[in-house]
Amino acid sequence: MQERKLMELAEAAGTIAIVGHVRPDGDCVGSCLAVCNYITEQYPEKTVDVYLETPPVKFSYLKQFERICSDPETGKQYDLCICLDSGDRERLGKNVVYLDTAKTSICIDHHITNQGYGAANFVKADASATCELLYDFLDEEKISKEVAECIYTGILHDTNVFKNSNTTERTMQVAGAMMAKGINFSRIIDESFYKKTYVQNQIMGRAVLESVLFLDGKCIFSVVRKQDMDFYGVEASDLDGIVDQLRVTDGVEVAIFLHETENHVYKVSMRSNNLVNVSKVASYFGGGGHEKASGVTMTGTPQDILNNLAERIDEQLKG
Ligand code: 5GP
Ligand code: MN
């Protein structure tokens, strides 16, 4: 079975680096810590380090969260680099250095745009989450409650609580197997997904209030600028959920949400309901993701960016 490969490689390696994508989300943090916990539980003698950009504190209930290192310049080299939930090399950000200097590597991912950048690659675009896919690589009886919490968290976040169209029978089977490990799933859902700080609610309210419909009400758009983020004292991860709220507007096919990362540089998030493949739209501008959830970074004024995106979306709507 191909899935044996992960543990075979881990067994053969003395030192292991685990890396995931920039702006790590629940599936990224969950999959990286699931693998970290599983390997350290099975092989306590091995050196295992996890490298990610600073992860949102809402995931701090996951075991070994505090071990995540956000410094890409340690100069350390590893026998094996495990890349999780990142559709391409660039999405690893500065932590790509650990992939480039490792003796060998394995990439496990579920992005349709993934071309396979590891020495070994396991990409299944029909898996709801990297965490769902990961389950095939682990021995059921060796999955601890702590590893189950990581896997459940990843699936929960990439399916928006088991309701996005990427949720399958398999998704629920894996989530069910994690529940059987005795995890407090309702607490995990509330604490890591639904709970919002006061300012997170405020900025979401403002983004929704200022949103505009276009393309005959089939698209909705909103933007948060750097000055707004500074005013509310929020960072990018505080904007989670805004684009999903825009998507459920009646009649809307595509929701677009922009937030400014640098002067005139915007992170674009897109969500689609039925008619449009937003992964194609994002890929066209150098980004990627999934058919119904994608992202890209673009430069210009919000109006220019919107016009460029609208052209590609309209093509598909008329298609
Ligand atoms: P989000 O809008 O939540 O940031 O991202 C939605 C999906 O698109 C995620 O699966 C994410 O990995 C992917 N994605 C977001 N931004 C980018 C990007 O700049 N490049 C690529 N390749 N994928 C992205
Ligand atoms: Mn994912």
Side-chain angles (χ1 to χ4, degrees):
M1 221 165 69
Q2 282 188 321
E3 283 76 17
R4 302 304 317 154
K5 186 98 179 163
L6 173 67
M7 293 322 287
E8 277 169 24
L9 288 169
E11 267 169 45
T15 59
I16 301 166
I18 300 171
V19 296
H21 63 75
V22 292
R23 290 186 287 269
D25 58 9
D27 190 28
C28 178
V29 179
S31 57
C32 289
L33 287 179
V35 173
C36 173
N37 283 309
Y38 188 88
I39 295 177
T40 52
E41 285 166 16
Q42 302 306 316
Y43 308 103
E45 72 285 1
K46 292 190 191 293
T47 299
V48 182
D49 293 324
V50 182
Y51 294 99
L52 289 175
E53 282 185 5
T54 308
V57 288
K58 65 187 176 190
F59 299 121
S60 60
Y61 61 90
L62 296 175
K63 192 179 166 198
Q64 305 215 68
F65 178 85
E66 66 292 342
R67 256 180 72 166
I68 295 173
C69 176
S70 299
D71 178 7
E73 282 160 25
T74 60
K76 283 193 180 177
Q77 294 181 10
Y78 294 84
D79 294 336
L80 172 66
C81 180
I82 303 173
C83 306
L84 297 164
D85 200 39
S86 181
D88 52 58
R89 282 171 50 83
E90 289 66 39
R91 290 271 294 158
L92 294 173
K94 290 186 175 158
N95 291 319
V96 74
V97 64
Y98 298 108
L99 168 66
D100 287 342
T101 56
K103 287 186 192 141
T104 191
S105 61
I106 179 168
C107 167
I108 302 174
D109 182 38
H110 70 129
H111 289 92
I112 197 166
T113 43
N114 193 319
Q115 309 268 324
Y117 54 88
N121 297 281
F122 299 92
V123 181
K124 255 177 83 178
D126 60 352
S128 69
T130 297
C131 279
E132 177 186 322
L133 195 47
L134 213 47
Y135 178 70
D136 295 335
F137 291 81
L138 313 179
D139 286 335
E140 160 79 50
E141 68 277 13
K142 291 184 187 159
I143 296 178
S144 64
K145 186 178 165 198
E146 288 75 22
V147 170
E149 285 171 345
C150 297
I151 292 179
Y152 189 88
T153 298
I155 298 175
L156 154 73
H157 278 264
D158 264 19
T159 58
N160 281 2
V161 197
F162 311 104
K163 70 172 174 52
N164 282 1
S165 59
N166 59 355
T167 311
T168 63
E169 191 180 343
R170 177 68 182 157
T171 311
M172 303 311 275
Q173 283 165 349
V174 177
M178 298 306 104
M179 287 165 75
K181 300 283 178 181
I183 62 172
N184 190 340
F185 55 90
S186 61
R187 180 156 171 247
I188 292 176
I189 294 173
D190 271 348
E191 294 284 315
S192 75
F193 193 90
Y194 286 111
K195 197 169 81 179
K196 298 268 175 215
T197 63
Y198 182 64
V199 283
Q200 284 168 350
N201 266 336
Q202 278 195 308
I203 198 137
M204 177 177 306
R206 183 169 158 168
V208 173
L209 183 72
E210 292 180 351
S211 65
V212 287
L213 291 166
F214 64 104
L215 293 182
D216 293 331
K218 288 202 167 50
C219 292
I220 191 163
F221 166 81
S222 193
V223 55
V224 167
R225 289 182 181 74
K226 194 103 192 53
Q227 67 199 53
D228 307 323
M229 293 175 69
D230 293 343
F231 177 81
Y232 289 99
V234 295
E235 38 190 282
S237 63
D238 293 313
L239 308 173
D240 283 357
I242 294 179
V243 71
D244 302 291
Q245 183 59 43
L246 295 173
R247 178 186 68 88
V248 294
T249 311
D250 191 20
V252 157
E253 280 297 335
V254 178
I256 301 174
F257 176 64
L258 266 55
H259 80 262
E260 193 174 20
T261 53
E262 289 165 51
N263 205 13
H264 285 110
V265 180
Y266 289 85
K267 167 75 207 315
V268 179
S269 280
M270 284 181 279
R271 297 292 183 272
S272 163
N273 281 321
N274 292 306
L275 304 180
V276 178
N277 178 344
V278 287
S279 143
K280 275 194 189 165
V281 180
S283 299
Y284 184 87
F285 295 103
H290 312 283
E291 280 185 22
K292 297 196 168 168
S294 71
V296 56
T297 295
M298 293 173 76
T299 307
T301 65
Q303 194 57 52
D304 288 342
I305 293 170
L306 183 60
N307 287 343
N308 282 321
L309 294 169
E311 205 178 315
R312 314 307 324 173
I313 292 168
D314 201 25
E315 245 174 41
Q316 285 197 41
L317 283 171
K318 285 185 176 139

